[in-house]
Amino acid sequence: MLLAGPTETDVRAALGAVVDPELDEPITDLGFVRSLTVTGSAVEVHLRLPTSFCAPNFAWLMCADAHDAVSAVPGVGRVVVELDDHHDSDLINRGLAAGAGYRGTFGHEAEESLDELRATFQRKAHTAAMERALTALLRADRSRTEADVHRLTLGDLPTGAPTTAALLRRRATLGLPTDDAAPVLVAADGTPPAPAEAALFLRKARSVRISVDGNAHFCRGLLATRYPGAEADQTHRSSVDDVPLPGPTRPTIPLEVLS
Amino acid sequence: MYSKDGEDYFVVDAHIALWDARQENQRNVHGKQFIDCFYDYHRNLSPESEVWPYEEYLYQGGERLMRDVFGNGIVDHAIFQPARLGEFYHRGFGQTEEAFALAQEHPDKLTYNHWWDPRDGENGLDQLRADAERFGLKGVKLYTADWHGESRGWKLTDPMAYRYLEACRELGITNIHIHKGPTIRPLDRDAFDVADVDHAATDFTDLNFIVEHCGLPRLEDFCWIATQEPNVYAGLAVAIPFIHTRPRYFAQIMGELVYWLGEDRILFSSDYALWTPTWLVERFVDFQIPEDMAEYAALTTEVKKKVLGLNAAKLYDLPVPERLRLPDAAEPATGPRQPAAADLAMS
């Protein structure tokens, strides 16, 4: 029996597993997939990025991951992945076509592998997901304070909430425990901070999350400016900061005048 | 000076440029890609009324710069922070002669900072000494992602960079503005890493390190370094226009910076001609952190006065009228830290 050819839906679903390591979001949600063509068993994918000068190491990771993800779809034969309009497009596209790998492509600019880079951003992704889950909880229940967060365990987080599910996935990636009794607030190696340092630890995690989310805002906006209509391809991750909670607006006069 | 609701603000725009990205100056496709990238920043983050046509964006010239930056009397002083980009543009991106001539013509309004690149070696060191004398340098702008022959970047910790920093110390060039960008070798590691600032700031405590774009996209790493190094500052270039498109995100940036660095180490910058200063100053004075972001303190008028001008005036010894000055704040609760606290770092 002949194997049925891949469908565009299959290939797009496979690309949905490829994430921008820095933004920790699928390239499909970010609008980075410019085009996708399936002809029989052959697949051609074009990727696009927000600027010509996006970091070439992240560009390479996404292109190589996209190539691997598409190649693994049953029935797929020849795969072409190309990065459009980047300062390193020629270099990266030649390297991908030749199967030259990262070091073969970047020569003297590469030292070993991108494994450590990827691991760094997996740790950041966990930190940001942890802060999102905790801040969502603190905002939903104002009786809890930052001083209490060190007592919280995974079982205290709302089951099935997107922030909880996202945190559990990031923990699994790092090999951290995912059972209900495990503390939420931990470093990337699973170590919880001392209780006295927990609030500061959360503040540090918050700065990581704001950096990640802010970069994502920036990248999405620039992509839509660079490629008009790209916003239609973008899906936004919901954030605790998207919608302000109801409440009085802070007056713009200095606080000391009020007190 | 900007006045609003009975308050007067001394305004220093700590990051402006006089660039030439016209086609005749573009050396290759990267020259076009670079200015196109800037133009996308401009279009993406500006209010519609402030968006310029592409042709106007390529080059402004001195007359227009004076009008755009100082025309309505809001900005008191501005500082050139030129980017060299010699691999992308025949005569470079920042126009040294034109900018310096303008600064000589308006010494009360303009300060000219220049650049250096450690990959220029010993000759570059000689050039730095000559430049320091000719331009009367108090500061330099460093662009660690600049291309140079086979190299697509350098670090502040490179041994030759330390020679240049030592020369800066000796020549009285105390303000080191650094812009981090991608493409720093090796690509195996984070191409936006700001850790080299940490080392340099520790080893050159008598120099001020102003990290442009407050370390974005590595805000968290930047904040952590700045808490430990009292001579590290945040430049708001590129961050501040989010006040229009993403005010809640801008509130978080300001909230984080004030929390980690305190109010005395944040500098207003329009990054002209990426954006013009007028609308940014007006919006910033009117800006407040939303009430529901209870994790951050409100921005007081004093904080805004310091950020808009007083902090930069101090770094550059600019004369500020007595009545507009403010005392330094106490150290923020978070720093500067003891090195032992660094084990709280998570990545």
Side-chain angles (χ1 to χ4, degrees):
Chain A
M1 196 182 81
L2 279 173
L3 196 61
T7 66
E8 197 184 311
T9 312
D10 297 337
V11 175
R12 195 168 289 278
L15 288 170
V18 178
V19 297
D20 179 318
E22 170 164 34
L23 308 179
D24 188 35
E25 293 193 64
I27 58 172
T28 45
D29 287 358
L30 291 162
F32 290 176
V33 179
R34 185 182 205 176
S35 67
L36 165 55
T37 318
V38 180
T39 314
S41 68
V43 177
E44 181 161 338
V45 176
H46 284 257
L47 300 183
R48 61 186 175 190
L49 293 173
T51 75
S52 300
F53 290 93
C54 291
N57 48 8
F58 291 122
W60 172 266
L61 273 177
M62 286 184 272
C63 292
D65 287 357
H67 200 284
D68 290 348
V70 174
S71 301
V73 175
V76 165
R78 182 163 178 269
V79 176
V80 173
V81 172
E82 291 203 339
L83 175 63
D84 294 346
D85 307 332
H86 189 270
H87 78 261
D88 268 346
S89 279
D90 291 347
L91 188 69
I92 288 173
N93 293 342
R94 271 202 311 274
L96 285 169
Y102 161 66
R103 292 184 67 188
T105 300
F106 285 103
H108 79 283
E109 293 181 313
E111 280 188 352
E112 289 166 23
S113 77
L114 295 174
D115 293 348
E116 183 49 39
L117 180 75
R118 205 190 282 271
T120 297
F121 285 87
Q122 284 169 347
R123 291 193 290 270
K124 286 195 188 228
H126 163 260
T127 303
M130 174 178 79
E131 192 277 344
R132 284 188 198 104
L134 287 170
T135 298
L137 194 68
L138 290 176
R139 292 217 175 150
D141 178 357
R142 293 295 177 125
S143 70
R144 297 183 191 272
T145 71
E146 291 185 358
D148 302 324
V149 288
H150 67 280
R151 293 197 192 85
L152 295 172
T153 66
L154 293 175
D156 294 318
L157 298 176
T159 312
T163 48
T164 308
L167 175 60
L168 293 175
R169 281 200 302 278
R170 304 313 183 270
R171 287 181 72 119
T173 302
L174 293 182
L176 299 179
T178 53
D179 59 281
D180 278 358
V184 181
L185 194 68
V186 291
D189 65 357
T191 316
E197 289 168 353
L200 184 63
F201 196 85
L202 179 64
R203 294 299 299 229
K204 178 75 165 68
R206 179 162 298 139
S207 70
V208 173
R209 190 263 299 174
I210 287 166
S211 204
V212 173
D213 284 357
N215 295 339
H217 294 325
F218 204 19
C219 293
R220 277 201 167 82
L222 283 171
L223 188 84
T225 298
R226 191 179 190 202
Y227 297 102
E231 60 274 18
D233 299 333
Q234 295 176 336
T235 307
H236 289 252
R237 169 166 53 202
S238 64
S239 160
V240 290
D241 293 318
D242 284 345
V243 184
L245 295 172
T249 307
R250 173 178 278 146
T252 50
I253 49 174
L255 279 186
E256 56 268 34
V257 177
L258 293 175
S259 54
Chain B
M1 196 174 73
Y2 181 64
S3 301
K4 177 91 190 262
D5 298 334
E7 298 285 351
D8 294 333
Y9 301 79
F10 185 84
V11 178
V12 179
D13 191 337
H15 196 305
I16 66 164
L18 203 173
W19 69 51
D20 187 351
R22 287 175 293 189
Q23 198 181 349
E24 60 266 30
N25 194 27
Q26 291 174 12
R27 195 168 158 180
N28 46 39
V29 67
H30 303 309
K32 172 156 174 52
Q33 287 173 331
F34 192 85
I35 192 66
D36 286 358
C37 178
F38 269 28
Y39 189 59
D40 284 350
Y41 277 39
H42 169 75
R43 287 194 293 162
N44 180 240
L45 295 184
S46 299
E48 214 171 312
S49 60
E50 305 295 332
V51 176
W52 297 355
Y54 181 73
E55 287 305 316
E56 284 181 35
Y57 200 72
L58 298 175
Y59 173 75
Q60 292 76 43
E63 204 180 309
R64 175 161 183 174
L65 180 148
M66 292 306 292
R67 208 165 54 237
D68 285 342
V69 177
F70 300 103
N72 51 22
I74 287 178
V75 175
D76 293 281
H77 199 94
I79 302 166
F80 282 113
Q81 307 287 1
R84 176 192 203 180
L85 301 180
E87 299 281 336
F88 293 179
Y89 298 97
H90 295 296
R91 287 175 287 107
F93 187 60
Q95 298 304 298
T96 303
E97 296 305 325
E98 203 175 352
F100 179 54
L102 210 57
Q104 281 181 302
E105 204 182 319
H106 305 279
D108 54 326
K109 285 191 158 55
L110 287 166
T111 294
Y112 182 74
N113 280 2
H114 199 55
W115 44 261
W116 49 254
D117 186 325
R119 295 165 298 183
D120 291 334
E122 299 289 345
N123 290 341
L125 273 174
D126 292 342
Q127 187 63 47
L128 171 60
R129 292 178 199 286
D131 289 341
E133 188 176 335
R134 179 183 173 209
F135 301 132
L137 295 178
K138 288 190 211 166
V140 285
K141 168 73 185 291
L142 309 179
Y143 186 40
T144 58
D146 201 1
W147 296 12
H148 194 290
E150 279 251 293
S151 160
R152 298 201 291 176
W154 57 279
K155 281 182 163 41
L156 280 176
T157 44
D158 292 344
M160 203 59 185
Y162 264 43
R163 298 268 311 277
Y164 280 69
L165 290 171
E166 283 159 9
C168 282
R169 171 188 270 163
E170 175 197 321
L171 296 164
I173 303 173
T174 49
N175 298 313
I176 313 293
H177 296 252
I178 319 127
H179 172 203
K180 312 291 292 188
T183 73
I184 290 175
R185 184 183 180 276
L187 288 172
D188 311 1
R189 292 191 267 286
D190 183 2
F192 293 94
D193 191 8
V194 286
D196 57 335
V197 178
D198 196 2
H199 293 283
T202 303
D203 290 338
F204 293 90
T205 51
D206 46 350
L207 300 180
N208 306 308
F209 292 84
I210 302 98
V211 179
E212 299 300 344
H213 323 312
C214 46
L216 291 172
R218 299 286 172 267
L219 179 68
E220 76 282 26
D221 294 332
F222 166 73
C223 286
W224 192 248
I225 287 167
T227 58
Q228 297 165 69
E229 310 295 342
N231 53 333
V232 170
Y233 293 70
L236 286 180
V238 181
I240 196 163
F242 282 103
I243 204 167
H244 166 63
T245 46
R246 292 262 176 194
R248 295 179 62 77
Y249 171 51
F250 181 67
Q252 292 177 319
I253 294 180
M254 282 308 298
E256 292 294 320
L257 291 176
V258 173
Y259 177 81
W260 293 105
L261 281 72
E263 62 197 48
D264 293 321
R265 293 193 278 143
I266 306 171
L267 310 185
F268 166 71
S269 311
S270 70
D271 220 342
Y272 179 86
L274 272 153
W275 298 278
T276 41
T278 302
W279 71 272
L280 292 168
V281 172
E282 290 170 349
R283 299 279 185 108
F284 187 73
V285 167
D286 291 343
F287 184 76
Q288 193 44 272
I289 292 177
E291 172 79 6
D292 65 290
M293 291 187 180
E295 60 271 35
Y296 302 122
L299 295 178
T300 63
T301 305
E302 284 68 25
V303 171
K304 292 177 183 178
K305 286 180 176 178
K306 288 180 169 185
V307 171
L308 280 177
L310 300 180
N311 292 342
K314 207 164 13 165
L315 291 183
Y316 281 87
D317 297 321
L318 302 174
V320 178
E322 182 76 41
R323 66 181 182 90
L324 298 181
R325 295 179 202 172
L326 287 170
D328 286 351
E331 275 185 5
T334 47
R337 295 195 179 293
Q338 297 304 309
D343 58 6
L344 274 173
M346 272 176 267
S347 55

Coordinates of all heavy atoms in Angstrom, one line a residue, chain B residues 28-72:
Chain B
N28 N 26.8 48.2 1.0 CA 26.3 46.8 0.6 C 24.9 46.7 1.1 O 24.3 47.6 1.7 CB 27.2 45.7 1.2 CG 27.5 46.0 2.7 OD1 26.6 46.4 3.4 ND2 28.7 45.7 3.1
V29 N 24.3 45.5 0.9 CA 22.9 45.2 1.3 C 22.7 45.4 2.8 O 21.6 45.8 3.2 CB 22.5 43.8 0.8 CG1 23.2 42.7 1.6 CG2 20.9 43.7 0.9
H30 N 23.7 45.2 3.6 CA 23.6 45.3 5.0 C 23.3 46.8 5.5 O 22.6 47.0 6.5 CB 24.8 44.8 5.8 CG 25.1 43.3 5.4 ND1 24.1 42.4 5.5 CD2 26.2 42.7 5.0 CE1 24.6 41.2 5.1 NE2 25.9 41.4 4.8
G31 N 23.9 47.7 4.7 CA 23.6 49.1 5.0 C 22.1 49.4 4.8 O 21.5 50.1 5.6
K32 N 21.5 48.8 3.8 CA 20.1 49.0 3.6 C 19.3 48.2 4.7 O 18.3 48.8 5.2 CB 19.7 48.5 2.2 CG 18.2 48.5 2.0 CD 17.7 48.6 0.5 CE 16.2 48.5 0.4 NZ 15.4 49.3 1.3
Q33 N 19.7 47.0 4.9 CA 19.0 46.2 6.0 C 19.0 46.9 7.3 O 18.0 46.9 8.1 CB 19.7 44.8 6.1 CG 19.4 43.9 5.0 CD 20.2 42.6 5.1 OE1 21.3 42.6 5.6 NE2 19.7 41.5 4.5
F34 N 20.1 47.6 7.6 CA 20.3 48.2 8.9 C 19.3 49.4 9.1 O 18.6 49.5 10.0 CB 21.7 48.7 9.1 CG 22.0 49.1 10.5 CD1 22.4 48.2 11.5 CD2 21.9 50.5 10.9 CE1 22.6 48.6 12.8 CE2 22.1 50.8 12.2 CZ 22.5 49.9 13.2
I35 N 19.3 50.3 8.1 CA 18.4 51.5 8.2 C 16.9 51.0 8.0 O 16.0 51.6 8.7 CB 18.8 52.6 7.2 CG1 18.0 53.9 7.5 CG2 18.5 52.2 5.7 CD1 18.4 54.5 8.8
D36 N 16.7 50.0 7.3 CA 15.3 49.5 7.2 C 14.8 48.9 8.5 O 13.7 49.1 8.9 CB 15.2 48.4 6.1 CG 15.3 48.9 4.7 OD1 15.3 50.2 4.5 OD2 15.2 48.1 3.7
C37 N 15.7 48.3 9.2 CA 15.4 47.8 10.6 C 15.1 49.0 11.5 O 14.1 48.9 12.2 CB 16.6 47.0 11.1 SG 16.4 46.3 12.7
F38 N 15.9 50.0 11.4 CA 15.6 51.2 12.2 C 14.3 51.8 11.9 O 13.5 52.2 12.7 CB 16.7 52.3 12.0 CG 17.9 52.2 12.9 CD1 18.2 51.0 13.5 CD2 18.6 53.4 13.3 CE1 19.3 51.0 14.4 CE2 19.7 53.3 14.1 CZ 20.0 52.1 14.7
Y39 N 14.0 51.8 10.5 CA 12.7 52.4 10.1 C 11.5 51.6 10.6 O 10.5 52.2 10.9 CB 12.7 52.6 8.6 CG 11.6 53.4 8.0 CD1 11.4 54.7 8.4 CD2 10.7 52.8 7.1 CE1 10.3 55.5 8.0 CE2 9.6 53.6 6.7 CZ 9.4 54.9 7.1 OH 8.3 55.6 6.7
D40 N 11.7 50.3 10.6 CA 10.6 49.5 11.2 C 10.4 49.7 12.7 O 9.3 49.8 13.2 CB 10.9 48.0 10.9 CG 10.6 47.6 9.5 OD1 10.1 48.4 8.7 OD2 11.0 46.5 9.1
Y41 N 11.5 49.9 13.4 CA 11.4 50.3 14.8 C 10.6 51.6 14.9 O 9.7 51.7 15.7 CB 12.8 50.6 15.4 CG 13.6 49.4 15.9 CD1 13.6 48.2 15.2 CD2 14.3 49.5 17.0 CE1 14.3 47.1 15.7 CE2 15.1 48.4 17.5 CZ 15.1 47.2 16.8 OH 15.8 46.2 17.2
H42 N 11.0 52.6 14.1 CA 10.4 53.9 14.1 C 8.9 53.8 13.8 O 8.0 54.3 14.5 CB 11.1 54.8 13.0 CG 10.4 56.1 12.7 ND1 10.4 57.1 13.5 CD2 9.7 56.5 11.6 CE1 9.8 58.1 13.0 NE2 9.3 57.7 11.8
R43 N 8.5 53.1 12.7 CA 7.1 52.9 12.3 C 6.3 52.1 13.3 O 5.1 52.4 13.6 CB 7.0 52.2 11.0 CG 7.4 53.0 9.8 CD 7.0 52.3 8.5 NE 7.6 51.0 8.3 CZ 7.2 50.1 7.5 NH1 6.1 50.2 6.8 NH2 7.9 49.0 7.3
N44 N 7.0 51.1 13.9 CA 6.2 50.3 14.8 C 5.9 50.9 16.1 O 4.8 50.7 16.7 CB 7.0 49.0 15.0 CG 6.3 48.0 16.0 OD1 6.9 47.7 17.0 ND2 5.1 47.6 15.6
L45 N 6.8 51.8 16.6 CA 6.7 52.3 18.0 C 6.2 53.8 18.0 O 6.0 54.3 19.1 CB 8.0 52.1 18.8 CG 8.4 50.7 19.0 CD1 9.6 50.6 19.9 CD2 7.3 49.9 19.7
S46 N 6.1 54.4 16.9 CA 5.7 55.9 16.9 C 4.2 56.1 16.8 O 3.5 55.3 16.1 CB 6.3 56.6 15.7 OG 7.7 56.5 15.8
P47 N 3.7 57.1 17.5 CA 2.3 57.5 17.2 C 2.2 57.9 15.7 O 3.2 58.4 15.1 CB 2.1 58.7 18.1 CG 3.2 58.8 19.0 CD 4.3 58.0 18.4
E48 N 1.1 57.7 15.1 CA 0.9 57.9 13.7 C 1.4 59.3 13.2 O 2.0 59.5 12.2 CB -0.5 57.7 13.3 CG -0.7 57.1 11.9 CD -2.2 56.7 11.7 OE1 -2.8 56.1 12.6 OE2 -2.7 57.1 10.6
S49 N 1.1 60.3 14.1 CA 1.4 61.7 13.7 C 2.9 61.9 13.7 O 3.4 62.9 13.2 CB 0.8 62.6 14.8 OG 1.3 62.3 16.0
E50 N 3.7 61.0 14.3 CA 5.2 61.2 14.4 C 5.9 60.4 13.4 O 7.2 60.3 13.4 CB 5.7 60.8 15.8 CG 5.0 61.6 16.9 CD 5.3 63.1 16.9 OE1 6.3 63.5 16.4 OE2 4.4 63.8 17.3
V51 N 5.2 59.6 12.5 CA 5.9 58.8 11.5 C 6.4 59.6 10.3 O 5.6 60.4 9.8 CB 5.0 57.6 11.1 CG1 5.7 56.8 10.0 CG2 4.6 56.7 12.2
W52 N 7.7 59.4 10.0 CA 8.2 60.2 8.8 C 8.2 59.3 7.6 O 8.3 58.1 7.7 CB 9.7 60.5 9.1 CG 10.0 61.4 10.2 CD1 9.1 62.1 11.0 CD2 11.3 61.8 10.7 NE1 9.7 62.8 12.0 CE2 11.1 62.6 11.8 CE3 12.6 61.4 10.4 CZ2 12.1 63.2 12.5 CZ3 13.6 62.0 11.1 CH2 13.4 62.8 12.1
P53 N 8.2 60.0 6.4 CA 8.4 59.2 5.2 C 9.8 58.6 5.2 O 10.8 59.1 5.7 CB 8.3 60.2 4.1 CG 7.7 61.4 4.7 CD 8.0 61.4 6.2
Y54 N 9.9 57.4 4.5 CA 11.2 56.7 4.4 C 12.4 57.6 4.0 O 13.4 57.6 4.5 CB 11.0 55.5 3.5 CG 12.3 54.6 3.4 CD1 12.7 53.8 4.4 CD2 13.0 54.6 2.2 CE1 13.8 53.0 4.3 CE2 14.1 53.8 2.1 CZ 14.5 53.0 3.2 OH 15.6 52.2 3.0
E55 N 12.1 58.4 2.9 CA 13.2 59.2 2.4 C 13.7 60.2 3.4 O 15.0 60.4 3.5 CB 12.7 60.0 1.1 CG 12.4 59.1 -0.1 CD 13.7 58.4 -0.5 OE1 14.8 59.0 -0.5 OE2 13.6 57.1 -0.8
E56 N 12.9 60.8 4.2 CA 13.3 61.7 5.2 C 14.1 61.0 6.3 O 14.9 61.6 7.0 CB 12.1 62.4 5.9 CG 11.5 63.5 5.1 CD 10.3 64.1 5.8 OE1 10.3 64.2 7.0 OE2 9.3 64.4 5.1
Y57 N 13.8 59.7 6.5 CA 14.4 59.0 7.6 C 15.9 58.7 7.3 O 16.7 58.5 8.2 CB 13.6 57.7 7.8 CG 13.8 57.1 9.1 CD1 13.2 57.7 10.2 CD2 14.6 55.9 9.3 CE1 13.4 57.1 11.5 CE2 14.8 55.4 10.5 CZ 14.2 56.0 11.6 OH 14.4 55.4 12.8
L58 N 16.3 58.6 6.0 CA 17.6 58.2 5.7 C 18.7 59.2 6.1 O 19.8 58.8 6.4 CB 17.7 58.0 4.1 CG 16.8 57.0 3.5 CD1 16.9 57.0 2.0 CD2 17.1 55.6 4.1
Y59 N 18.3 60.5 6.1 CA 19.3 61.5 6.5 C 18.6 62.8 6.9 O 17.6 63.2 6.2 CB 20.2 61.8 5.3 CG 21.1 63.0 5.5 CD1 22.3 62.9 6.3 CD2 20.9 64.2 4.9 CE1 23.1 63.9 6.5 CE2 21.8 65.3 5.0 CZ 22.9 65.1 5.9 OH 23.7 66.2 6.0
Q60 N 19.0 63.5 8.0 CA 18.3 64.7 8.4 C 19.2 65.9 8.3 O 18.7 67.0 8.0 CB 17.9 64.5 9.9 CG 16.8 63.5 10.2 CD 17.4 62.1 10.1 OE1 18.4 61.8 10.6 NE2 16.6 61.2 9.5
G61 N 20.5 65.8 8.5 CA 21.3 67.0 8.5 C 21.2 67.8 9.7 O 20.3 67.7 10.5
G62 N 22.2 68.7 9.9 CA 22.3 69.5 11.2 C 21.1 70.4 11.4 O 20.7 70.6 12.5
E63 N 20.7 71.1 10.3 CA 19.7 72.1 10.5 C 18.4 71.5 11.0 O 17.7 72.0 12.0 CB 19.4 72.8 9.2 CG 18.8 74.2 9.3 CD 18.6 74.8 7.9 OE1 19.6 74.7 7.1 OE2 17.5 75.2 7.6
R64 N 18.0 70.4 10.4 CA 16.8 69.7 10.8 C 16.9 69.1 12.2 O 16.0 69.1 13.0 CB 16.4 68.6 9.8 CG 15.2 67.8 10.3 CD 14.5 67.0 9.3 NE 13.3 66.4 9.9 CZ 12.4 65.7 9.3 NH1 12.5 65.6 8.0 NH2 11.4 65.2 10.0
L65 N 18.1 68.6 12.5 CA 18.4 68.0 13.8 C 18.1 69.1 14.9 O 17.4 68.8 15.9 CB 19.8 67.5 13.9 CG 20.2 66.8 15.2 CD1 21.2 65.7 15.0 CD2 20.8 67.8 16.2
M66 N 18.7 70.3 14.7 CA 18.5 71.3 15.7 C 17.0 71.7 15.9 O 16.6 71.9 17.0 CB 19.3 72.6 15.2 CG 20.8 72.5 15.3 SD 21.5 71.9 16.8 CE 21.2 73.3 17.9
R67 N 16.3 71.6 14.8 CA 14.9 72.0 14.8 C 14.1 70.8 15.5 O 13.3 71.1 16.4 CB 14.3 72.1 13.4 CG 13.2 73.0 13.2 CD 12.9 73.4 11.8 NE 12.8 72.3 10.9 CZ 13.6 72.2 9.8 NH1 14.6 73.0 9.5 NH2 13.4 71.1 9.0
D68 N 14.4 69.6 15.2 CA 13.7 68.4 15.7 C 14.0 68.3 17.2 O 13.1 67.9 18.0 CB 14.1 67.1 15.0 CG 13.5 67.0 13.6 OD1 12.5 67.7 13.3 OD2 14.0 66.2 12.8
V69 N 15.2 68.5 17.6 CA 15.6 68.2 19.0 C 15.4 69.4 19.9 O 14.9 69.3 21.0 CB 17.1 67.7 19.1 CG1 17.5 67.5 20.5 CG2 17.3 66.4 18.3
F70 N 15.7 70.6 19.4 CA 15.6 71.8 20.3 C 14.6 72.8 19.9 O 14.4 73.8 20.6 CB 17.0 72.5 20.2 CG 18.1 71.6 20.7 CD1 19.0 71.1 19.8 CD2 18.3 71.4 22.1 CE1 20.1 70.3 20.2 CE2 19.4 70.6 22.5 CZ 20.2 70.0 21.6
G71 N 13.9 72.6 18.7 CA 13.0 73.6 18.2 C 12.0 74.2 19.1 O 11.7 75.4 19.1
N72 N 11.4 73.4 20.0 CA 10.4 74.0 20.8 C 10.9 74.2 22.3 O 10.1 74.5 23.2 CB 9.2 73.0 20.9 CG 9.6 71.6 21.2 OD1 10.7 71.4 21.7 ND2 8.8 70.6 20.8

